[in-house]
Amino acid sequence: MSGTAARDRVMESIHTVLPGLLPAGSSAPELSDKTRLMEDLGMTSVVTLELMLGLEDVLDIQIDVEEIQPDDVSSLGALADFIAGQMGVTG
Amino acid sequence: MTALAEVSAYVPPGRVPIESLAPDLGLSPMQLRVFRRYHGLSEVSRDPGRSLPELLASAALRLRGLAEPRVRETVRYVLYARSMPVVAPFPLNPLHELTWRLGLGHAVAFTVTHQACATALHAMALAGHLLAADGDPAARALVVAGEKVYTRVAKIVPETSFFAEASAACLVSTSGPKDQLLAYAAASRGEFDGDPGRFQAESAYGLADIITAALTQAGLRPADVSLILPHNVNKVSWRRVCRLLEFPADRVLLDNVASVGHGFCADAFINYQTAIERSLLKAGDAYVIAAAGAAPGATFSAMVFRH
């Protein structure tokens, strides 16, 4: 799978998993590469870890959270880049 | 100078898997997965057959010094380092019951709290100050720690850890050949009050900063430290602290996170006992005790000792 295809697959998975982790009753936000997890979605670091586990299930991969840097979870786009990188694809 | 004359810990044999706590605490399967996979939590110690005074006495009675009447007579202060403001219904007084059990009715006994799980460090420092003011080089203070999971807030730190029933005791002196206190740094951060998300995001920085402050006070750098004895909240937070400090994670004693859980204010002493049992400290080693206390606000504390 190419890097672009993998990243697209990761973003699709984020769109699938993320709404279930947001507070009940919150309106479905517009999700894009630039959406910030904490500032825009109010996600805590633990909910971010729940997102990782959900993505692992959907993508059937294991994410090495030891490698995560704060910038990797600053936005959905950054997160997609990080996870696509974990999938070991080259662009 | 403050020194630790003797340290003991009691970790009960009983354990419950964290999954068994889920119904009572309303935890989802996903939350449990996060706790196991990322936080490194697995089971927590429980001692349902012991009351709080019995739990505390189980550690205190392991101190060889307290078995000697002449040492007991030198204990001027008993400090109970506590995370929770309420540990027993009125009019029970677990601390006073403990002092009677230990034959320390002559000592001034009081509880130290308000720094949550960082309170043990404050209690040790306070004990040292009281003894220094006392002026008798033979005087001792007894610091005890450990609590029962008495209320809901004493069972879980939301999204962070599970509390464990265990206890510890420490005889503090103003001099001694080992475990000499080189530095103590603490920062109480009221801005975290009511903002658990911010605390989660910034707590690693708070701990790394206070450890650095304590080491600077002691004239040391992270590379000079043989071991960090952490609070046992979880593994993922300490890995972040290690990255910030550029300190090897295998020199933070985290083994008790999975097998014991977070023993309120007793963690440092539980980990100290483990370090001694495994010969992880040799004479002259510098080691750090560090903890964060949450709610209300947050306190980050660190002490540097010479073993």
Side-chain angles (χ1 to χ4, degrees):
Chain A
M1 185 188 302
S2 71
T4 305
R7 194 188 185 280
D8 288 345
R9 190 168 159 234
V10 173
M11 274 308 283
E12 264 176 44
S13 302
I14 290 174
H15 281 249
T16 302
V17 175
L18 186 51
L21 297 175
L22 297 176
S26 61
S27 54
E30 190 84 29
L31 301 177
S32 73
D33 271 25
K34 290 191 169 59
T35 304
R36 297 169 300 174
L37 277 73
M38 192 183 279
E39 296 87 341
D40 297 332
L41 302 177
M43 287 176 65
T44 64
S45 55
V46 167
V47 175
T48 303
L49 292 175
E50 292 184 24
L51 174 60
M52 302 286 182
L53 284 177
L55 292 172
E56 285 190 340
D57 292 343
V58 167
L59 294 167
D60 195 23
I61 59 170
Q62 268 230 323
I63 299 171
D64 185 356
V65 290
E66 303 275 342
E67 296 295 315
I68 294 178
Q69 301 296 320
D71 284 348
D72 296 323
V73 292
S74 58
S75 69
L76 295 184
L79 181 60
D81 289 337
F82 172 77
I83 295 175
Q86 289 266 303
M87 290 165 75
V89 297
T90 53
Chain B
M1 185 217 300
T2 299
L4 307 184
E6 196 179 350
V7 175
S8 71
Y10 165 69
V11 179
R15 296 289 186 279
V16 296
I18 59 175
E19 285 76 14
S20 70
L21 305 174
D24 181 40
L25 298 173
L27 298 174
S28 69
M30 181 61 86
Q31 287 173 310
L32 288 169
R33 281 179 67 190
V34 169
F35 278 128
R36 271 199 182 268
R37 170 81 185 282
Y38 297 129
H39 290 48
L41 297 159
S42 178
E43 54 186 12
V44 287
S45 68
R46 286 288 185 272
D47 204 4
R50 276 187 167 82
S51 67
L52 180 53
E54 289 167 343
L55 182 70
L56 296 171
S58 296
L61 289 170
R62 289 169 184 228
L63 293 171
R64 289 185 304 276
L66 284 191
E68 299 176 36
R70 64 175 180 80
V71 174
R72 280 204 301 275
E73 283 165 15
T74 66
V75 175
R76 302 288 168 83
Y77 306 98
V78 179
L79 292 84
Y80 180 15
R82 220 165 69 191
S83 303
M84 296 292 151
V86 176
V87 294
F90 178 82
L92 300 179
N93 190 319
L95 176 59
H96 287 179
E97 186 178 336
L98 174 69
T99 58
W100 296 328
R101 279 175 187 250
L102 299 177
L104 298 177
H106 58 276
V108 173
F110 58 96
T111 291
V112 188
T113 184
H114 284 89
Q115 293 188 1
C117 299
T119 302
L121 287 78
H122 180 50
M124 286 191 279
L126 184 53
H129 284 304
L130 288 168
L131 292 173
D134 191 276
D136 177 0
R140 296 287 181 269
L142 174 66
V143 174
V144 294
E147 294 163 58
K148 301 284 287 181
V149 290
Y150 173 55
T151 56
R152 190 183 192 282
V153 295
K155 293 179 182 174
I156 186 169
V157 184
E159 299 189 338
T160 303
S161 191
F162 296 92
F163 284 111
E165 294 183 340
S167 60
C170 171
L171 276 174
V172 179
S173 63
T174 53
S175 63
K178 64 177 183 69
D179 297 315
Q180 299 160 348
L181 178 64
L182 304 180
Y184 169 48
S188 286
R189 307 274 301 273
E191 66 269 29
F192 289 115
D193 189 24
D195 197 345
R198 183 180 171 188
F199 177 72
Q200 270 186 31
E202 298 183 27
S203 62
Y205 294 94
L207 267 173
D209 286 347
I210 209 67
I211 290 171
T212 301
L215 288 173
T216 302
Q217 214 185 96
L220 298 172
R221 300 157 305 148
D224 299 317
V225 175
S226 298
L227 197 61
I228 292 179
L229 304 179
H231 67 174
N232 293 335
V233 287
N234 59 57
K235 294 185 180 180
V236 66
S237 59
W238 278 102
R239 289 195 198 105
R240 286 190 202 125
V241 174
C242 287
R243 278 202 293 271
L244 292 169
L245 289 173
E246 295 181 342
F247 187 81
D250 61 2
R251 280 200 258 151
V252 182
L253 209 170
L254 289 170
D255 296 14
N256 290 316
V257 168
S259 60
V260 179
H262 179 27
F264 299 93
C265 292
D267 287 349
F269 307 111
I270 292 169
N271 289 329
Y272 176 92
Q273 179 164 280
T274 300
I276 297 302
E277 287 167 355
R278 296 187 191 169
S279 302
L280 298 177
L281 288 170
K282 56 183 190 304
D285 279 351
Y287 66 95
V288 167
I289 286 177
T299 299
F300 301 101
S301 297
M303 286 180 149
V304 183
F305 287 90
R306 177 79 65 195
H307 186 54

